């Protein structure tokens, strides 16, 4: 049935395209949305709420006025256009008054000239802003005990995630090992059914799950077989962020037979409400994201975690934060919902921030006190530092080094970039077996067409003892994260150290007059990179974390507003991953991932905000200057989340 509906939609869109180049537009109407309507229309009483109240979306006043707004949207469209020439995708009623519609540019111009219309903006794209941290923030010994322990931290608080969905069967989201989750009457969201398994996505811990893709479908970007027409996470990003904020406590992080500790969300007892509006190949569209936020607030979430942002400042508005997306966030705050949004990953350059709203908390990413290091020990006595979450080679034993380009089955395979070590069928197993394979880190790794995971698989399939991946060229600001692998392996990130390795290999490798290797004499061994090193150091802003100050328009003029608002851990964060996930090629098929980004920082703040909400349920999200964790625990045992104040 869903497939039939999808193809019917495609046929309608095809008809629209024949009549002109149809696109998705977000139309804002004259008149107040539910959240700020103070009365004045005969037959409809005021629905606006005070700063210390939450919106009651079930009240007769709210539902009646919301229906009135939607009728106005439909009447306007019907009065201007024939029904077969447009397709309304969403009506926005609660946080902004408007709608998303698929129309031609000529029809958009007609709407702009109408006196009932405030603005018409073409839809634009958004992107993802890609578990030791509870201990680092002092939660287990400071905050959690004040609320009854980790098994009560975040009790009855609902965090909404506008992201790429969730993998519901992950242990971080399981409910079978916890006290039963009772019903929460304040939550009105629904739970979609997986079209493949016919099972609900919800289990008590996950309290709601919906997906939004009307704009993506209208734009021709959505493929239901790849993107999943359900809340299922086909990317990995959404599962990761949900687990950081509200994942279960004490979940073993196991990859390739090694355990890297126990994972926990900041508020492990909080409920999770999923609003999928991001997809694996194209990111997402503002029209879908706005619909997801509007629905989340209507459903009754307490906190919103947004690890999503625009590709660039909006060019259609004179002020960056006076567009439908940021106006929707203002409506959410007015409705009593705390919003944490990732600042962006454009650092270290100034004015790279993509979280513009003055009324929400924009979160930067920090490096915490945990580091992963490894070393390559060469036969000439040199020790080369690198990174690699791998076991060591056998103690007190060295192995012959063989470069991928010297063990080719045929010289004609050079066109396949064999030094990347992505295709084992190009290399001679007889020359690799029992040795350490040397590979080169090319641009293919940067763009995602090559991965360290695949290097490890290549080396293992050829019988290699381990592998070394050497970086010979690097752009300023390039970020290298350690990757867990099942065999000894190391990435040499320092170009000068890579040159030391190459020089040693070349001088110790005998060749004939044609350049063919006669004998491999270079040797080495790989250290143990599994154990983290903990430094007693203050948090530092991560290099990639976007910088302020805030900008007021697409010409990057200063907005006289300091942003980001707060800093949270965002570098090398372990959390749940979807086995379907493709966001990080090194973690395809895995259940956990170690990744970095302000996307990881924002859910830390969302989770801590849930703890604040649990402790102070009547606090509004606006205008309280407080310390995030110190105000929960007056004994002073907990640490602040890197900021003396945060706007709630």
């Amino acid at each position: 049935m869903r497939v039939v509906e999808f193809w019917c939609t495609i046929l309608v869109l095809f008809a629209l395209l024949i009549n002109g180049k149809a696109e998705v537009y977000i139309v804002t109407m004259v008149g107040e949305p539910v959240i700020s309507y103070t009365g004045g229309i005969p037959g409809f009483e005021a629905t606006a709420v005070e700063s210390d109240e939450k919106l009651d979306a079930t009240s007769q006043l709210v539902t009646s006025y919301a229906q009135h707004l939607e009728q106005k949207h439909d009447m306007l469209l019907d009065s201007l256009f024939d029904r077969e020439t447009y397709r309304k995708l969403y009506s926005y009623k609660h946080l902004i008054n408007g709608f998303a519609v698929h129309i031609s540019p000529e029809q958009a111009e007609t709407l702009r000239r109408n006196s009932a219309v405030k603005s018409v903006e073409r839809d634009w794209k958004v992107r993802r802003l890609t578990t030791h941290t509870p201990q680092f923030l002092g939660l287990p010994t400071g905050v959690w005990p004040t609320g009854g322990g980790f098994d009560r931290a975040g009790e009855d608080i609902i965090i909404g995630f506008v992201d790429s969905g969730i993998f519901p069967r992950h242990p971080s989201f399981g409910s079978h090992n916890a006290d039963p989750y009772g019903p929460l009457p304040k939550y009105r969201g629904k739970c979609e059914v997986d079209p493949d398994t016919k099972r609900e996505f919800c289990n008590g811990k996950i309290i709601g799950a919906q997906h939004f893709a009307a704009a993506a479908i209208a734009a021709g970007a959505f493929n239901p077989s790849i993107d999943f027409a359900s809340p299922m996470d086909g990317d990995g990003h959404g599962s990761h962020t949900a687990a950081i904020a509200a994942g279960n406590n004490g979940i073993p992080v196991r990859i390739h037979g090694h355990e890297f500790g126990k994972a926990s969300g900041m508020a492990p007892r909080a409920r999770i409400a999923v609003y999928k509006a991001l997809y694996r190949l194209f990111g997402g569209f503002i029209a879908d994201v706005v619909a997801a936020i509007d629905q989340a607030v209507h459903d009754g979430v307490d906190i919103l975690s947004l690890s999503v942002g625009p590709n660039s400042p909006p060019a259609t508005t004179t002020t960056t934060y006076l567009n439908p997306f940021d106006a929707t966030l203002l409506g959410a705050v007015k409705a009593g919902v705390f919003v944490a949004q990732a600042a962006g990953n454009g650092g270290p350059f100034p004015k790279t921030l993509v979280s513009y709203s003055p009324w929400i908390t924009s979160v930067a990413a920090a490096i915490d006190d945990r580091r992963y290091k490894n070393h390559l020990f060469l036969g000439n006595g040199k020790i080369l530092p690198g990174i690699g979450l791998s076991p060591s080679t056998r103690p007190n034993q060295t192995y012959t080094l063989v470069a991928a380009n010297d063990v080719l089955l045929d010289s004609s395979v050079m066109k396949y970039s064999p030094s990347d070590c992505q295709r084992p069928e190009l290399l001679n197993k007889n020359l690799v077996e029992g040795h350490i394979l040397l590979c080169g880190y090319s641009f293919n790794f940067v763009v995602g067409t090559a991965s360290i995971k695949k290097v490890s698989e290549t080396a293992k399939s050829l019988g290699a003892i381990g592998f070394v991946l050497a970086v010979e060229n690097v752009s300023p600001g390039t970020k290298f994260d350690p990757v867990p692998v099942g065999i000894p392996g190391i990435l040499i990130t320092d170009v000068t150290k890579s040159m030391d390795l190459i020089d040693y290999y070349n001088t110790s490798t005998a060749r004939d007059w044609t350049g063919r290797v006669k004998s491999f004499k270079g040797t080495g061994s790989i250290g143990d990179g599994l154990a983290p090193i903990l430094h007693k150091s203050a948090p530092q802003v991560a290099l990639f974390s976007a910088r302020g100050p805030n900008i007021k328009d697409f010409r990057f003029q200063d907005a006289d507003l300091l942003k980001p608002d707060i800093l949270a851990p965002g570098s090398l964060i372990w959390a749940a991953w979807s086995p379907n996930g493709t966001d990080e090629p090194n973690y395809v098929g895995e259940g956990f991932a170690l990744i970095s980004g302000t996307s990881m920082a924002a859910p830390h703040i969302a989770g801590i905000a849930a703890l604040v909400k649990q402790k102070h349920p009547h606090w509004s999200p606006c205008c309280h200057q407080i310390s995030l964790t110190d105000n929960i625990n007056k004994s002073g045992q907990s640490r602040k989340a890197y900021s003396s104040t945060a706007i709630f």
Side-chain angles (χ1 to χ4, degrees):
M1 186 65 181
R2 290 175 181 265
V3 174
V4 172
E5 291 174 355
F6 174 77
W7 285 112
C8 287
T9 301
I10 293 298
L11 290 173
V12 172
L13 298 178
F14 182 70
L16 285 169
L17 290 171
I18 291 175
N19 295 326
K21 187 182 178 182
E23 296 180 278
V24 176
Y25 291 85
I26 300 176
V27 180
T28 306
M29 299 280 286
V30 173
E32 294 299 322
V34 166
I35 194 63
S36 54
Y37 172 61
T38 56
I41 300 175
F44 298 98
E45 296 184 33
T47 56
V49 296
E50 299 296 329
S51 61
D52 59 346
E53 296 178 336
K54 281 200 72 174
L55 176 69
D56 181 6
T58 62
S59 74
Q60 180 60 36
L61 294 179
V62 168
T63 55
S64 177
Y65 184 65
Q67 289 171 0
H68 165 73
L69 292 180
E70 185 163 3
Q71 288 172 0
K72 296 280 283 185
H73 303 163
D74 295 339
M75 289 171 60
L76 175 67
L77 289 168
D78 285 345
S79 68
L80 295 176
F81 314 121
D82 293 333
R83 286 202 172 184
E84 64 272 11
T85 66
Y86 72 87
R87 180 166 181 260
K88 191 185 74 169
L89 307 179
Y90 300 108
S91 268
Y92 307 126
K93 301 156 294 195
H94 300 96
L95 309 181
I96 61 172
N97 176 17
F99 54 88
V101 62
H102 193 238
I103 51 176
S104 69
E106 292 77 17
Q107 290 172 306
E109 192 57 39
T110 299
L111 280 168
R112 283 193 184 94
R113 293 194 297 265
N114 192 281
S115 60
V117 172
K118 188 184 295 184
S119 68
V120 179
E121 298 184 35
R122 189 171 61 185
D123 195 13
W124 66 99
K125 273 190 166 186
V126 293
R127 60 183 172 182
R128 299 171 296 274
L129 300 173
T130 241
T131 352
H132 159 71
T133 46
Q135 288 76 18
F136 180 64
L137 295 176
L139 300 181
T141 57
V143 175
W144 288 350
T146 67
F150 72 84
D151 53 350
R152 289 292 177 266
E155 184 83 68
D156 292 343
I157 303 299
I158 304 165
I159 306 178
F161 297 89
V162 178
D163 215 297
S164 66
I166 198 165
F167 185 70
R169 296 184 292 279
H170 196 283
S172 289
F173 313 124
S175 60
H176 52 280
N177 290 328
D179 287 346
Y181 287 92
L184 271 186
K186 69 177 182 179
Y187 184 71
R188 298 169 293 276
K190 66 180 181 179
C191 194
E192 293 184 19
V193 174
D194 189 320
D196 296 323
T197 65
K198 308 304 179 185
R199 293 166 57 185
E200 279 197 354
F201 280 82
C202 299
N203 58 5
K205 172 70 173 177
I206 302 172
I207 197 172
Q210 303 173 55
H211 82 288
F212 300 80
I217 293 171
F222 187 84
N223 183 334
S225 64
I226 296 175
D227 297 310
F228 296 111
S230 76
M232 178 63 73
D233 186 4
D235 182 275
H237 190 268
S239 299
H240 202 270
T241 56
I244 291 171
N248 291 329
N249 181 67
I251 304 302
V253 179
R254 293 193 183 99
I255 297 185
H256 304 304
H258 305 291
E259 184 173 314
F260 293 93
K262 302 285 196 299
S264 175
M266 302 300 103
R269 186 68 178 177
R271 309 290 186 101
I272 293 170
V274 178
Y275 298 87
K276 177 179 172 180
L278 300 181
Y279 297 88
R280 62 167 72 177
L281 295 180
F282 57 86
F285 292 86
I286 285 291
D288 290 330
V289 172
V290 169
I293 295 170
D294 189 83
Q295 187 65 51
V297 174
H298 169 273
D299 291 345
V301 302
D302 299 297
I303 314 288
L304 265 177
S305 179
L306 302 176
S307 292
V308 57
N311 292 328
S312 61
T316 56
T317 55
T318 55
T319 305
T320 51
Y321 43 81
L322 296 182
N323 61 76
F325 173 67
D326 291 282
T328 300
L329 297 182
L330 175 59
V333 173
K334 286 182 178 179
V337 177
F338 173 81
V339 181
Q341 184 186 18
N345 298 330
F349 307 106
K351 299 184 179 182
T352 49
L353 182 98
V354 294
S355 176
Y356 309 115
S357 294
W359 32 82
I360 67 168
T361 300
S362 303
V363 187
I367 298 172
D368 60 20
D369 61 345
R370 181 181 59 188
R371 307 287 188 275
Y372 287 100
K373 295 182 179 180
N374 205 345
H375 294 87
L376 173 66
F377 302 88
L378 297 179
N380 61 1
K382 284 192 174 183
I383 302 175
L384 308 183
I387 56 175
L389 296 176
S390 81
S392 67
T393 52
R394 290 183 179 180
N396 305 315
Q397 190 169 341
T398 59
Y399 299 89
T400 301
L401 306 177
V402 297
N405 282 346
D406 287 329
V407 293
L408 303 179
L409 284 173
D410 190 312
S411 60
S412 65
V413 303
M414 288 299 292
K415 61 184 177 182
Y416 298 115
S417 301
S419 64
D420 288 356
C421 298
Q422 301 296 292
R423 302 177 63 172
E425 68 272 15
L426 305 181
L427 307 180
N428 189 330
K429 183 174 182 178
N430 294 329
L431 296 178
V432 175
E433 194 167 15
H435 304 319
I436 294 177
L437 180 63
L438 304 185
C439 309
Y441 190 95
S442 69
F443 186 68
N444 294 331
F445 289 87
V446 179
V447 299
T449 56
S451 69
I452 297 174
K453 177 184 176 73
K454 187 61 179 176
V455 174
S456 174
E457 292 172 352
T458 295
K460 185 176 181 179
S461 69
L462 295 172
I465 291 297
F467 68 89
V468 178
L469 196 53
V471 177
E472 299 179 57
N473 295 288
V474 65
S475 301
T478 301
K479 178 170 65 74
F480 298 102
D481 286 347
V483 174
V485 291
I487 66 173
I490 186 171
L491 172 66
I492 307 297
T493 59
D494 187 324
V495 173
T496 60
K497 301 302 180 184
S498 293
M499 292 301 106
D500 288 343
L501 168 61
I502 293 169
D503 289 343
Y504 169 67
Y505 177 79
N506 286 336
T507 57
S508 59
T509 301
R511 302 177 184 273
D512 62 20
W513 65 274
T514 67
R516 184 174 298 175
V517 174
K518 294 195 297 183
S519 61
F520 298 99
K521 298 294 185 181
T523 60
S525 61
I526 299 171
D528 185 349
L530 295 174
I533 301 170
L534 299 180
H535 298 267
K536 290 186 176 180
S537 59
Q540 303 173 29
V541 180
L543 186 69
F544 59 81
S545 187
R547 267 61 168 179
N550 205 355
I551 57 174
K552 68 178 182 181
D553 54 35
F554 67 93
R555 292 185 294 271
F556 287 84
Q557 297 185 65
D558 289 348
D560 195 26
L561 182 69
L562 290 178
K563 285 273 184 176
D565 300 296
I566 198 168
L567 195 67
S571 179
L572 304 182
I573 305 300
W574 279 114
W577 196 249
S578 172
N580 305 313
T582 58
D583 187 32
E584 291 285 342
N586 289 313
Y587 295 100
V588 173
E590 304 294 349
F592 292 91
L594 178 74
I595 55 178
S596 302
T598 54
S599 281
M600 286 67 251
H604 277 89
I605 297 302
I608 294 174
L611 301 178
V612 175
K613 184 73 174 177
Q614 181 186 18
K615 185 74 173 180
H616 303 282
H618 300 296
W619 280 11
S620 73
C622 179
C623 309
H624 290 290
Q625 295 288 328
I626 69 169
S627 299
L628 275 180
T629 54
D630 279 17
N631 276 276
I632 304 173
N633 179 19
K634 297 299 183 182
S635 67
Q637 291 177 300
S638 61
R639 303 188 198 179
K640 298 174 186 176
Y642 315 158
S643 175
S644 59
T645 61
I647 298 176
F648 271 62

